[in-house]
Amino acid sequence: MNRPRASLLAAMFVLFGVPHWSYADGRAEWSDYAWQKIEISSCIGSPATLACPLYHQKWDWKRNQWVDITVRLDPSAGRVWLTQRLTNSDNNDQDFVCVTALIVDAEGRDLIAHHQNWHISSAETIEKSFTYESVALDSAQTIHIGSKQCRAGGSQDDATYARVLADIAN
């Protein structure tokens, strides 16, 4: 790339931010997550309902605190079912826990985004199910699921989630 063109491109990134198409996997806007990547091709079942491998990750590496997520999808109907379970087996610790799941196509465009910031008390288990729809789900290639302890509190990453949802809507 010649120098003036490279400078122009760099200036555009500074002025307007990194364009969504450059993310390549959907995770670039989210920071400090423990990510796991699930290829849609690794999900098994009938063509109508695919069950994907379980996400199982600690949100605090030094404590017995776990996030478990199951994902089922029906690409032809454009429907995703996601179930989250947070298990806090620590009797002396409560936390805010951020959980994010992104379903992306081959170009890295987010098709579906899920984000929850949970408050979980000591020795508590929380489980909740969610359903999402996308007309483009049949082009999904990868699911990225990540979790982290949200030390900044109950609204951490809400602005990021709002920007990702706005990108999906456009």
Side-chain angles (χ1 to χ4, degrees), residues 39-59:
E39 297 294 341
I40 299 294
S41 60
S42 70
C43 302
I44 58 172
S46 70
T49 304
L50 299 171
C52 299
L54 174 71
Y55 173 89
H56 181 69
Q57 180 74 41
K58 283 186 172 186
W59 74 75

Side-chain angles (χ1 to χ4, degrees), residues 27 41 52 54-55 58 60 65 74 77 81-82 86 93 98 100 102 104 108 117 123 129 150 156-157 161:
R27 299 175 297 168
S41 60
C52 299
L54 174 71
Y55 173 89
K58 283 186 172 186
D60 185 338
Q65 298 169 316
D74 181 348
W81 299 272
L82 183 141
L86 274 61
D93 189 41
C98 286
T100 298
L102 305 167
V104 300
N117 187 325
S129 295
C150 282
Q156 186 171 344
D157 292 342
Y161 185 45

Side-chain angles (χ1 to χ4, degrees), residues 50-98:
L50 299 171
C52 299
L54 174 71
Y55 173 89
H56 181 69
Q57 180 74 41
K58 283 186 172 186
W59 74 75
D60 185 338
W61 64 270
K62 63 188 177 294
R63 301 185 189 281
N64 189 8
Q65 298 169 316
W66 295 92
V67 176
D68 292 292
I69 298 177
T70 59
V71 178
R72 287 184 312 113
L73 17 96
D74 181 348
S76 62
R79 190 166 293 122
V80 175
W81 299 272
L82 183 141
T83 301
Q84 284 184 199
R85 181 181 179 93
L86 274 61
T87 306
N88 186 355
S89 298
D90 189 309
N91 291 323
N92 301 309
D93 189 41
Q94 60 180 337
D95 287 313
F96 286 95
V97 182
C98 286

